[in-house]
């Protein structure tokens, strides 16, 4: 099977998720192409049996380059087998509240791009405070004031085993 993983990464964690997915599929004998959309939202859509789009959520929306790429390729993607990996801190919140927030992010992405993924994985992301500028740190505090996560520094919240199990189910 040929798999395309299109992603954009602002701080590096989405790239790590995309690489982990690719590793699982390559170990299974699949041909995988990683397409980094960061700074190149006009990248062409490669031919694949499964197209996976991965993006972290920033201020309640996907990475701008992912949004632009999806808007460009929505019609072609509608004819393909697709999946979305939505990476957010909300996915780390247990219970209905976290799930509702994640579902809202996916719905918002569909609303602004027209992209309707066939499969969705909601993945807890990471904090990379050492790489954040002061404005990003301030935004994070505002975003989590109502539901503090109690985390500081550089912390990875991703359940890598669950992500790999999802990848195995998708091929």
């Amino acid at each position: 099977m040929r798999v395309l993983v299109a992603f954009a990464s602002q701080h590096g964690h989405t790239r790590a998720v995309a690489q982990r997915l690719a590793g699982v599929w390559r170990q299974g004998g699949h041909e995988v192409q990683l397409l980094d959309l960061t700074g190149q939202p006009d990248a062409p859509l490669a031919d694949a049996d499964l197209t996976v789009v991965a993006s972290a959520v920033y201020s309640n929306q996907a990475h701008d380059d992912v949004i632009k790429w999806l808007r460009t390729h929505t019609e072609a993607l509608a004819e393909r087998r697709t999946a979305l990996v939505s990476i957010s801190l909300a996915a780390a919140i247990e219970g209905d509240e976290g799930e509702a927030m994640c579902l809202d992010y996916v719905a918002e992405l569909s609303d602004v791009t027209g992209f309707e993924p066939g499969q969705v994985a909601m993945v807890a992301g990471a904090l990379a405070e050492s790489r954040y500028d002061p404005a990003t740190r301030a935004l994070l505090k505002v975003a989590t004031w109502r539901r503090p996560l109690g985390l500081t520094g550089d912390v990875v919240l991703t359940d890598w085993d669950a992500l790999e199990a999802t990848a195995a189910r998708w091929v």
Side-chain angles (χ1 to χ4, degrees), residues 1-65:
M1 174 181 286
R2 293 168 300 147
V3 182
L4 171 66
V5 182
F7 70 96
S9 188
Q10 188 166 337
H11 301 288
H13 190 69
T14 302
R15 178 184 324 283
V17 168
Q19 290 171 337
R20 181 67 67 103
L21 292 168
V24 169
W25 292 322
R26 286 179 179 138
Q27 284 181 349
H30 303 287
E31 179 185 325
V32 182
Q33 177 185 349
L34 289 171
L35 177 60
D36 187 351
L37 303 173
T38 311
Q40 56 176 4
D42 298 327
L45 176 61
D47 193 29
D49 301 307
L50 171 63
T51 301
V52 178
V53 178
S55 178
V57 175
Y58 306 98
S59 300
N60 298 327
Q61 71 175 27
H63 193 289
D64 286 342
D65 291 337

Side-chain angles (χ1 to χ4, degrees), residues 89 139-149:
L89 294 179
L139 263 174
L140 184 61
K141 286 183 183 185
V142 169
T144 60
W145 74 269
R146 196 173 57 91
R147 186 80 155 103
L149 296 173

Side-chain angles (χ1 to χ4, degrees), residues 38-108:
T38 311
Q40 56 176 4
D42 298 327
L45 176 61
D47 193 29
D49 301 307
L50 171 63
T51 301
V52 178
V53 178
S55 178
V57 175
Y58 306 98
S59 300
N60 298 327
Q61 71 175 27
H63 193 289
D64 286 342
D65 291 337
V66 168
I67 290 171
K68 290 173 187 170
W69 188 80
L70 286 172
R71 284 180 175 154
T72 300
H73 300 293
T74 297
E75 286 184 30
L77 289 168
E79 303 298 320
R80 293 180 175 211
R81 186 168 167 234
T82 59
L84 171 68
V85 180
S86 178
I87 304 162
S88 68
L89 294 179
I93 299 171
E94 293 182 12
D96 293 342
E97 181 181 8
E99 183 176 356
M101 291 171 71
C102 292
L103 291 172
D104 285 347
Y105 299 152
V106 173
E108 174 69 17

